Amino acid sequence: MAAPNRLAFLDALRGLAAVYVVLFHVMAMPSPTLATGAVMGAVLAMGGTGVALFFVISAFSLAYTMPRHARTPTPLLSFYLHRVFRIAPLFFVLLAFSIWRDGRGSHAGHPSAEILANVTFTFNLFEGWEAGIVWASWAIGVEMLFYAVFPLLFRIIDRPRRAWGAAVLGTLASLLAGAGVLGPAGVAAVGDYGLLRHLPVFLYGLLAYHLFMALQAMPSNPVRRCCMTVLVGTGLLLVGLTWGSARAAVSAGIGWILFGAAYAALLIGMSRFPLSLVVNRVTTYLGQISYSLYLAHPIVVALLIPVFRRIQLLVPQADLAYLLCAVLTLAIAVPLAYVGYRLIEVPGIRAGHRVLAAINGHRTAATGSTDPTR
């Protein structure tokens, strides 16, 4: 059952982001890639930007839950323990599997130093290891760097005006680095896995949080009309970005930033005008299992590639063949993700709560205080 303070539109967008990444990998992971029609291919090619939507939602969610951590006796400990126990259990299970998989046959396996970097979530800091041992885990490496600095960012960026300023400055820094103004180190920082490439997107999520909170104090009807207008504009922007990216009219770095901004606007629009086509029981369910779906689906896709090739031979229509491959992948990956969520993620989250309660209990006993806010 969903927690009472969960925001349905966040879960729905998180679920759609995960599915978008899955659909992208169904097409892109096989070599050669699965054939599709021009329109479907252009849409699927942007599926990797589902990770940008994840990053926007992540920053928003972290800001939204920070007041809850602030009410505990140890706010920073509460924040970091929650993050570790939310991310680490499933990641470690898949890391163990990946190490076993990559150490078999002709594969040389991974050196102990690389394994240690993955265990400590620092692999993003080492050249050549940024992608992570677990498939698709590069996003986890980027997220962990953002988690490390988030409490400080949240303390500094404490109002909408500062959030706007931070978003602008982050965007300028990323663009200048990509243009080579900041030297070779700057160019490296905006590579595929560089934090500076993704920092603006995280900052858009933080800005979205402040705008969301500001909207709570405004009259409902005007806000809904405004959010509906935002959704229309965002839809047009996403169509334009997809079209421009397909024709190489938008560079990858700028496109990533623009998609991040569009997804932040989408989040704001859905917060007060949740279209039932987007926010519903199916998408919110997918949002709850999205982490397991994201990390586990590349394994499913890899195992199904021979089946994909068979489907392509039997079904001559490219789009239809692709859709059958995508449906088959989701039919296997979604139940598998639910198992991972129920058996690994939920127990991990509960373990984190118990650890924090035990630490706070010892702290209260040591100080001789019965006041939980002291």
Side-chain angles (χ1 to χ4, degrees):
M1 182 179 294
N5 64 336
R6 292 185 74 97
L7 299 175
F9 70 91
L10 277 190
D11 274 336
L13 291 175
R14 191 183 284 115
L16 291 173
V19 171
Y20 199 14
V21 174
V22 173
L23 296 179
F24 167 67
H25 281 148
V26 169
M27 179 193 72
M29 278 185 63
S31 181
T33 59
L34 297 189
T36 62
V39 174
M40 181 177 287
V43 174
L44 292 173
M46 295 299 101
T49 68
V51 178
L53 179 52
F54 273 131
F55 289 166
V56 168
I57 294 170
S58 177
F60 183 103
S61 301
L62 294 180
Y64 185 73
T65 57
M66 277 303 284
R68 184 186 70 198
H69 297 299
R71 291 191 293 269
T72 67
T74 51
L76 283 179
L77 183 63
S78 174
F79 172 80
Y80 287 118
L81 275 180
H82 181 80
R83 289 293 88 203
V84 168
F85 279 91
R86 179 69 183 87
I87 299 299
L90 179 66
F91 179 81
F92 286 159
V93 169
L94 290 175
L95 178 61
F97 167 79
S98 301
I99 293 169
W100 171 81
R101 176 200 63 209
D102 294 345
R104 295 167 57 83
S106 60
H107 196 284
H110 301 277
S112 57
E114 184 183 5
I115 294 173
L116 179 61
N118 278 260
V119 169
T120 57
F121 295 102
T122 59
F123 56 91
N124 183 272
L125 301 175
F126 298 94
E127 185 176 358
W129 295 349
E130 301 96 333
I133 293 175
V134 178
W135 287 343
S137 65
W138 70 267
I140 306 301
V142 174
E143 284 264 15
M144 283 298 187
L145 295 182
F146 181 67
Y147 293 162
V149 299
F150 178 79
L152 178 60
L153 284 177
F154 184 74
R155 185 171 182 177
I156 296 172
I157 306 171
D158 58 354
R159 63 198 70 173
R161 182 176 298 179
R162 291 187 176 183
W164 278 109
V168 170
L169 289 175
T171 302
L172 286 175
S174 184
L175 292 176
L176 290 173
V181 175
L182 304 183
V187 173
V190 292
D192 289 344
Y193 310 124
L195 180 60
L196 191 53
R197 170 184 170 88
H198 305 290
L199 181 60
V201 178
F202 283 116
L203 292 175
Y204 300 155
L206 192 51
L207 172 60
Y209 161 76
H210 282 287
L211 294 178
F212 170 79
M213 297 304 293
L215 291 176
Q216 303 307 300
M218 298 181 182
S220 177
N221 288 336
V223 167
R224 280 178 56 83
R225 288 195 294 270
C226 178
C227 287
M228 181 181 65
T229 303
V230 168
L231 287 177
V232 172
T234 301
L236 294 174
L237 175 58
L238 289 172
V239 170
L241 286 173
T242 301
W243 180 87
S245 298
R247 286 156 178 76
V250 180
S251 69
I254 295 176
W256 188 261
I257 289 174
L258 290 175
F259 268 106
Y263 288 143
L266 177 66
L267 187 155
I268 288 296
M270 286 293 168
S271 71
R272 298 298 292 273
F273 200 88
L275 299 172
S276 58
L277 182 64
V278 175
V279 184
N280 52 62
R281 292 180 62 182
V282 173
T283 56
T284 53
Y285 164 77
L286 290 171
Q288 291 181 41
I289 65 170
S290 59
Y291 179 48
S292 284
L293 181 59
Y294 175 79
L295 275 190
H297 82 270
I299 300 172
V300 176
V301 173
L303 292 174
L304 287 177
I305 288 175
V307 182
F308 294 169
R309 297 305 184 200
R310 183 64 178 169
I311 291 174
Q312 284 186 303
L313 290 175
L314 295 175
V315 181
Q317 298 87 355
D319 281 350
L320 179 57
Y322 167 80
L323 287 174
L324 291 174
C325 295
V327 169
L328 175 61
T329 301
L330 289 171
I332 297 173
V334 168
L336 184 63
Y338 176 76
V339 171
Y341 172 72
R342 294 301 306 176
L343 298 185
I344 302 174
E345 290 188 61
V346 172
I349 294 170
R350 290 173 178 168
H353 291 161
R354 289 194 297 270
V355 170
L356 181 62
I359 292 173
N360 287 334
H362 286 304
R363 179 178 180 272
T364 300
T367 59
S369 170
T370 59
D371 180 1
T373 64
R374 179 173 173 178

